[in-house]
Amino acid sequence: MVVNSDTDYSTAQKWRFTWEAQSHTPTLRLVLFTTDATFNPSLQCHNLSVKLISPISVLSVAWSDTDGAVPSLLSVPVPRVLVDGESPVIFRALNDHIEAKLCLLLPVNHPIHSCLPDDPQSLLPGASGPLNMQSDVESLSSRGEVDFYCRRCSFQLNRYPLRNFVEMPSANWREVADNWFGACCCSFGGISEKLVVRYANSYACSQGICLLSYTSVTLCKDDLLECTFPEVCEQKRCSSVADNLADEIVCKARITSGLTQESTATCSHTGQGICSFNENSRFGLNENEKLSVNLRQEASMNKPDNCDFSNSHPDSNGAEDVAITPNCCVHKTSFLGDEDTEILGNKRSFLNGFLEDVFMARSSNLSKDIDWHEFKCPQCTSLLGVYPCCEGLAPVDGGVRLFKCCISTCVPIGGPGDLFSNYTLEKMFANQLVEFASDESSFRFVIRELNTKYPGLQIVLLNPDTWSCFGSCTGTGDEIPKLQLQPIIKVLFSDCINGEETQLRMIEEWATKNSAENIFMLNQQVEELVRLLMSAKDKYPPSCGSLQRLILSSLQR
């Protein structure tokens, strides 16, 4: 904010502004407030006037004091947007801030902006764009050879340049397999179980291979410099959850799979085949290996003549090969060998996501038998990632997860060749939170510590699609700064890292009552998020700063 000479510089320094716009609304809103708690604009800003000076993109805000003798004038720079200069400026003075609204020709993220000679959303020098989270497998592979460095001290983390990059599946890849192939005999049910087993076995933390997800890279422990781990621990305790899940799928696959050349499903109601496929041509299996499906269908006794597939489920008890009922499908079957359905070693935990991306883990992707240990830089000891352990300090699967917000792909750090320069803890968290809200249709979350499961942050997502920028007053005669709107999420939050027992009990009750989703993160990252949120809350005046005992803040996307 530039201050006119009519306003004392020391007074002007206390004034701050925040611009905001919604993606779906062609309105730009200004909130102008002072850090002087004794100043009341509604009582002290007489003859308030707000005018847009289009040639220099400045909003002029003027008023006089109680006696009308001392005029004040503030010039607020307008961000790069398409303002409708013919529409009037709407403004008002409230108890602790001045509010003004400008009409825009188009919403701030309208596609036509990219066609303009001077795109309002093109990045200004020194500005960082919104984070487009992806695996980065193509960009890394195109480099040929890649080294990873600690973002804080530039220490090289890998022994040799990496050339092989593999994209990890999404968190719900098992559900996708079931949805694609179905769970009914008429929908090739049983194929997904076999593919799941093979899929799990295909992902390994091997030397020279880098596994990529949206938020992390997974390296084999033997590829890391100056890092020693004990031998892989005996995994007796780890079998209680992860292995039981794997055994269930293996048993199901053995019961429901065959080696016939072709599998044909026949509906007893019509007597006609309804599906036929050759697995060699579609799934690339061995020449002598074919898959068919055995499913037992349980039908309602009062509907003997209808093909009611809604009551069907796979036969998982192994008591019988197939149950033939008058209202479902019959399959010709034989059995697979054990080698076709065996999950290799440490891949069992992979089945339910136990060893997946844990930057922000959900309850469904955690195992009570897996502990997550922090992995720190060998040189500066800053946090770089995590690795899973079970009764020891060795990675269960031999892999270490490095968070993209903690590492770089080149030196100097943040240079033009750094593929991860746009990844920050703030942006990664904001994007993941929006994704979780979209998946679960829930906007209430409790962020818990990854291992202890204690609550550390209570958060409510208010608006996932806001554009904003803020600033404070500068001295007289300074050059008018150029502003650019950045995508943010607006949230309500409560810090409970060091909460008393009463506060923790209230959060647990709130989470249960509102069906809040639990998200698990490292304690150090939760503390950093709290610091970011506490810092961003100063962008709003006190009257807008809280709701229902929660603090209003924002995070950049």
Side-chain angles (χ1 to χ4, degrees):
M1 175 183 294
V2 176
V3 184
N4 190 276
S5 58
D6 292 335
T7 304
D8 181 72
Y9 175 66
S10 61
T11 302
Q13 278 187 312
K14 299 178 181 180
W15 283 90
R16 298 176 180 176
F17 64 88
T18 296
W19 290 100
E20 280 189 355
Q22 308 301 322
S23 296
H24 58 279
T25 304
T27 302
L28 183 64
R29 175 174 174 259
L30 169 69
V31 176
L32 181 63
F33 60 100
T34 177
T35 56
D36 183 1
T38 63
F39 189 83
N40 188 328
S42 65
L43 299 177
Q44 296 174 256
C45 290
H46 295 273
N47 303 317
L48 180 64
S49 172
V50 180
K51 298 179 180 179
L52 175 65
I53 306 177
S54 299
I56 57 175
S57 296
V58 164
L59 196 69
S60 175
V61 182
W63 70 88
S64 58
D65 64 5
T66 306
D67 299 329
V70 182
S72 298
L73 177 62
L74 302 177
S75 298
V76 184
V78 179
R80 299 171 65 188
V81 291
L82 298 178
V83 179
D84 184 358
E86 297 183 357
S87 296
V89 179
I90 302 173
F91 60 91
R92 59 177 178 167
L94 302 173
N95 290 338
D96 62 353
H97 68 279
I98 298 172
E99 181 185 75
K101 294 182 180 180
L102 303 179
C103 291
L104 302 180
L105 294 175
L106 294 170
V108 291
N109 66 339
H110 195 281
I112 200 173
H113 284 307
S114 60
C115 304
L116 299 176
D118 185 17
D119 180 6
Q121 299 309 328
S122 61
L123 290 178
L124 292 170
S128 61
L131 177 61
N132 181 21
M133 292 182 64
Q134 54 187 343
S135 69
D136 298 298
V137 62
E138 293 183 2
S139 54
L140 287 170
S141 299
S142 65
R143 290 287 183 90
E145 295 182 347
V146 176
D147 292 312
F148 294 113
Y149 303 88
C150 170
R151 187 173 288 193
R152 175 174 294 181
C153 69
S154 302
F155 177 78
Q156 183 173 327
L157 300 172
N158 50 304
R159 297 178 185 274
Y160 309 105
L162 296 168
R163 301 178 181 86
N164 300 317
F165 301 94
V166 179
E167 184 174 6
M168 291 289 284
S170 59
N172 62 336
W173 63 273
R174 287 191 62 213
E175 288 80 359
V176 171
D178 287 338
N179 291 338
W180 181 258
F181 295 105
C184 173
C185 54
C186 295
S187 304
F188 312 121
I191 296 180
S192 62
E193 281 83 358
K194 183 174 181 181
L195 294 183
V196 162
V197 173
R198 291 192 173 186
Y199 201 36
N201 287 337
S202 67
Y203 282 88
C205 298
S206 305
Q207 276 190 274
I209 296 179
C210 176
L211 303 178
L212 297 166
S213 71
Y214 281 6
T215 61
S216 66
V217 300
T218 301
L219 300 184
C220 176
K221 63 182 180 64
D222 298 324
D223 283 333
L224 295 170
L225 271 173
E226 299 184 18
C227 298
T228 57
F229 300 90
E231 294 298 323
V232 178
C233 58
E234 294 295 331
Q235 300 185 21
K236 295 179 181 178
R237 185 167 64 91
C238 295
S239 62
S240 63
V241 176
D243 290 1
N244 286 345
L245 172 66
D247 291 340
E248 178 183 347
I249 294 180
V250 170
C251 177
K252 186 185 298 183
R254 287 178 178 173
I255 294 171
T256 63
S257 301
L259 289 172
T260 57
Q261 288 294 319
E262 206 170 64
S263 177
T264 303
T266 306
C267 182
S268 60
H269 181 63
T270 62
Q272 298 179 354
I274 60 174
C275 59
S276 178
F277 65 93
N278 187 319
E279 197 177 4
N280 266 346
S281 60
R282 295 200 57 182
F283 302 102
L285 304 182
N286 295 335
E287 184 175 357
N288 295 325
E289 180 183 59
K290 302 296 173 181
L291 176 66
S292 63
V293 181
N294 296 319
L295 293 174
R296 182 179 64 186
Q297 304 292 338
E298 292 185 356
S300 302
M301 297 302 296
N302 58 349
K303 295 182 179 180
D305 297 327
N306 295 330
C307 286
D308 185 5
F309 300 121
S310 63
N311 295 323
S312 64
H313 64 273
D315 184 0
S316 59
N317 59 15
E320 52 186 319
D321 186 5
V322 70
I324 303 176
T325 59
N327 61 332
C328 197
C329 304
V330 181
H331 292 265
K332 305 171 185 178
T333 65
S334 60
F335 285 92
L336 283 172
D338 291 350
E339 67 277 4
D340 297 307
T341 56
E342 180 181 1
I343 300 175
L344 304 177
N346 54 30
K347 311 303 186 304
R348 291 171 178 261
S349 296
F350 180 83
L351 282 174
N352 203 34
F354 295 156
L355 305 185
E356 281 187 13
D357 194 344
V358 292
F359 172 72
M360 292 172 65
R362 290 172 163 178
S363 301
S364 58
N365 298 132
L366 293 179
S367 167
K368 63 184 179 65
D369 298 319
I370 297 292
D371 296 323
W372 292 92
H373 285 253
E374 296 181 352
F375 177 77
K376 298 184 177 182
C377 174
Q379 180 166 293
C380 69
T381 68
S382 63
L383 177 67
L384 296 180
V386 292
Y387 59 91
C389 297
C390 177
E391 289 188 338
L393 297 178
V396 170
D397 62 348
V400 177
R401 285 80 174 151
L402 304 177
F403 299 134
K404 291 181 180 180
C405 60
C406 301
I407 61 176
S408 172
T409 61
C410 72
V411 286
I413 304 301
D418 187 358
L419 298 177
F420 297 159
S421 61
N422 205 26
Y423 284 85
T424 64
L425 174 67
E426 179 180 9
K427 291 183 178 181
M428 287 167 56
F429 177 83
N431 280 270
Q432 287 285 86
L433 196 70
V434 172
E435 181 180 340
F436 290 172
S438 300
D439 292 344
E440 302 296 332
S441 298
S442 173
F443 298 91
R444 299 177 177 88
F445 303 88
V446 175
I447 314 301
R448 300 177 182 270
E449 205 282 324
L450 186 59
N451 289 314
T452 65
K453 310 300 186 292
Y454 288 143
L457 182 64
Q458 179 185 8
I459 194 165
V460 178
L461 180 60
L462 285 182
N463 193 321
D465 204 4
T466 302
W467 294 71
S468 178
C469 64
F470 71 99
S472 57
C473 296
T474 58
T476 303
D478 288 349
E479 181 181 358
I480 298 176
K482 293 183 178 180
L483 301 179
Q484 185 166 26
L485 296 174
Q486 297 285 330
I488 64 169
I489 63 171
K490 295 183 70 173
V491 299
L492 294 171
F493 79 97
S494 174
D495 170 21
C496 51
I497 292 181
N498 300 314
E500 301 291 337
E501 182 178 351
T502 303
Q503 181 187 9
L504 297 180
R505 184 169 60 252
M506 291 177 60
I507 290 177
E508 297 291 357
E509 293 174 353
W510 174 86
T512 302
K513 178 181 178 181
N514 295 282
S515 301
E517 183 178 0
N518 291 318
I519 298 176
F520 302 87
M521 301 180 68
L522 294 176
N523 187 66
Q524 182 174 333
Q525 293 177 320
V526 178
E527 292 177 347
E528 176 64 13
L529 283 173
V530 171
R531 187 192 66 79
L532 291 169
L533 289 167
M534 292 296 292
S535 176
K537 73 180 180 63
D538 295 333
K539 299 176 183 177
Y540 306 98
S543 63
C544 304
S546 63
L547 179 66
Q548 297 180 353
R549 299 191 301 273
L550 297 177
I551 303 173
L552 176 67
S553 188
S554 64
L555 292 171
Q556 189 175 352
R557 291 187 66 181

